Amino acid sequence: MQFHPGEIAGVIWKPLKRYHDSRGWLCELFRHDELPAEFHPVMTYISATEPGVARGPHEHVDQADCFCFLGPSNFKIYLWDNRPHSPTYRAYQTNVVGIDKPMLLIIPAGIVHAYKNVGTKPGIVFNCPNRLYKGPARKEPVDEIRHEEQKDTPFRLD
């Protein structure tokens, strides 16, 4: 399975802006009126990732992720378009976001994704997916296809 570099259709990269004053700073993570309806969040969680640690690669069958990378570290993002009917099928894309480039990133279902903390401090990530983890009352299977434990996976982080 070969991938080629290029932008991936349907992925939304929205730079985030910090507003600073004498008290500190504020950053809007998202506005309901600025997100396409199919990506409206239904839950939110926050995670911390240690320097040098990666999460993923994995993909979702139905869920879209809406990540917010603000810092206090930087993350290298890895995306692979694994959607056979996509105009950018088999495209591969990377970017570095976080403290130096705050970013909201929406990843539609079927796009394999991973991120790695490439900074020197633990990094914070918010995710506002459009599906509930394990469905209502946590009674459904997890919508996730994990690739990181497969020895022959084409989804490799550099």
Side-chain angles (χ1 to χ4, degrees), residues 66-122:
C66 178
F67 289 113
C68 296
F69 297 92
L70 297 171
S73 199
N74 285 310
F75 291 88
K76 184 167 184 182
I77 309 298
Y78 301 83
L79 304 173
W80 297 264
D81 192 346
N82 206 27
R83 304 167 297 173
H85 301 296
S86 168
T88 56
Y89 181 53
R90 297 286 188 241
Y92 169 70
Q93 186 175 12
T94 63
N95 201 346
V96 176
V97 298
I99 190 70
D100 295 331
K101 187 163 80 172
M103 188 71 62
L104 175 141
L105 173 60
I106 296 178
I107 304 171
I111 296 175
V112 178
H113 53 284
Y115 59 82
K116 182 177 181 178
N117 184 337
V118 294
T120 59
K121 301 177 183 176

Side-chain angles (χ1 to χ4, degrees), residues 20 44 53 64 74 76 83 102 124 138 141 149 152-153 156:
H20 296 266
T44 301
V53 173
N74 285 310
K76 184 167 184 182
R83 304 167 297 173
I124 302 295
R138 294 182 177 89
E149 296 173 7
D152 60 346
T153 185
R156 301 222 180 266

Side-chain angles (χ1 to χ4, degrees), residues 4-145:
H4 60 276
E7 290 187 17
I8 298 177
V11 173
I12 297 171
W13 299 85
K14 181 181 181 281
L16 296 174
K17 181 165 175 43
R18 284 193 207 113
Y19 298 93
H20 296 266
D21 66 20
S22 61
R23 299 167 294 175
W25 60 268
L26 174 142
C27 180
E28 288 183 353
L29 299 183
F30 71 89
R31 289 179 49 98
H32 202 256
D33 62 337
E34 293 177 351
L35 291 181
E38 67 268 26
F39 300 126
H40 284 173
V42 297
M43 66 175 284
T44 301
Y45 67 86
I46 184 173
S47 64
T49 303
E50 296 296 323
V53 173
R55 294 185 186 259
H58 70 271
E59 64 186 294
H60 303 285
V61 175
D62 188 50
Q63 174 180 306
D65 285 322
C66 178
F67 289 113
C68 296
F69 297 92
L70 297 171
S73 199
N74 285 310
F75 291 88
K76 184 167 184 182
I77 309 298
Y78 301 83
L79 304 173
W80 297 264
D81 192 346
N82 206 27
R83 304 167 297 173
H85 301 296
S86 168
T88 56
Y89 181 53
R90 297 286 188 241
Y92 169 70
Q93 186 175 12
T94 63
N95 201 346
V96 176
V97 298
I99 190 70
D100 295 331
K101 187 163 80 172
M103 188 71 62
L104 175 141
L105 173 60
I106 296 178
I107 304 171
I111 296 175
V112 178
H113 53 284
Y115 59 82
K116 182 177 181 178
N117 184 337
V118 294
T120 59
K121 301 177 183 176
I124 302 295
V125 178
F126 293 87
N127 190 9
C128 312
N130 67 342
R131 300 290 181 265
L132 293 171
Y133 178 75
K134 289 188 163 185
R138 294 182 177 89
K139 293 184 177 182
E140 297 176 6
V142 175
D143 176 10
E144 197 166 63
I145 301 166

